[in-house]
Amino acid sequence: MSLKLATLAAALMGASAFVAPNKMGVAKSSSALKMSFENEIGVQAPLGFWDPLGLLDEADQERFDRLRTVEIKHGRISMLAILGHLVTTAGVRLPGAYDLAGDQFSSLPTGLKALSALPAAGVAQTIGFIGLIELGFAQIKEELEADCEARMDAAGWDDEKKDSKRAIELNNGRAAQMGILALMVHEQLDNNPYIINSLLGSPVDFNAGF
């Protein structure tokens, strides 16, 4: 039950500030800030500027940039999570891979159920690997961003096309955040994360055999 509540809470927290970096400087009032944010990347129909939790009330540029960085990162992680969920549900595992306890990963279920099936050493290995990725990315973040900008320039993209691509990534990341949370919630509710498949007449036998 606690895992279900945690999943639901995460889903509710996913409704955060869907906005983009402010290019117009820091305003003094909350209303002025919101007016400037309404013209930025990621603010588009049908929601427009959407900050239901008031995370940007009286926010300065530093806080805004921090929230933007977090949103992009969570979006990218969620896109990978969706892909991983689909691939592992299809039965694909790393061939010959073992965790620190010597158990084959191929014997593990997918989705949230994998967390309860992993031995403690396997959980520690996973957390440690994620931590290493986070630390490594922090060290080369500016270099990667500069390289990305250089590649877009080399491709001959103008500012309008660059902004369009950034907006596409933001929207894909937002959709993925909602998508992975939906998979988690439905798995906890009735072990049927791919409920759309069931509604369309092609149910997925999720974690069959586990």
Side-chain angles (χ1 to χ4, degrees), residues 1-14 112 180-189:
M1 180 61 70
S2 59
L3 184 56
K4 292 182 179 180
L5 291 175
T7 303
L8 180 58
L12 293 175
M13 288 303 295
L112 293 173
I180 193 63
L181 286 170
L183 291 176
M184 293 164 62
V185 168
H186 281 285
E187 179 183 345
Q188 289 300 299
L189 290 176

Side-chain angles (χ1 to χ4, degrees), residues 125-179:
Q125 180 185 16
T126 302
I127 295 174
F129 181 66
I130 293 172
L132 287 175
I133 292 177
E134 181 75 10
L135 291 174
F137 176 75
Q139 296 297 317
I140 63 173
K141 180 177 180 292
E142 293 184 2
E143 181 182 342
L144 286 176
E145 290 175 347
D147 182 66
C148 181
E149 189 72 22
R151 288 175 181 271
M152 290 191 290
D153 289 336
W157 292 2
D158 57 19
D159 290 341
E160 183 178 356
K161 186 166 185 178
K162 290 178 182 178
D163 287 347
S164 173
K165 295 297 184 180
R166 292 181 179 116
I168 289 171
E169 182 187 16
L170 279 172
N171 286 327
N172 286 346
R174 293 165 180 175
Q177 289 177 73
M178 297 300 101

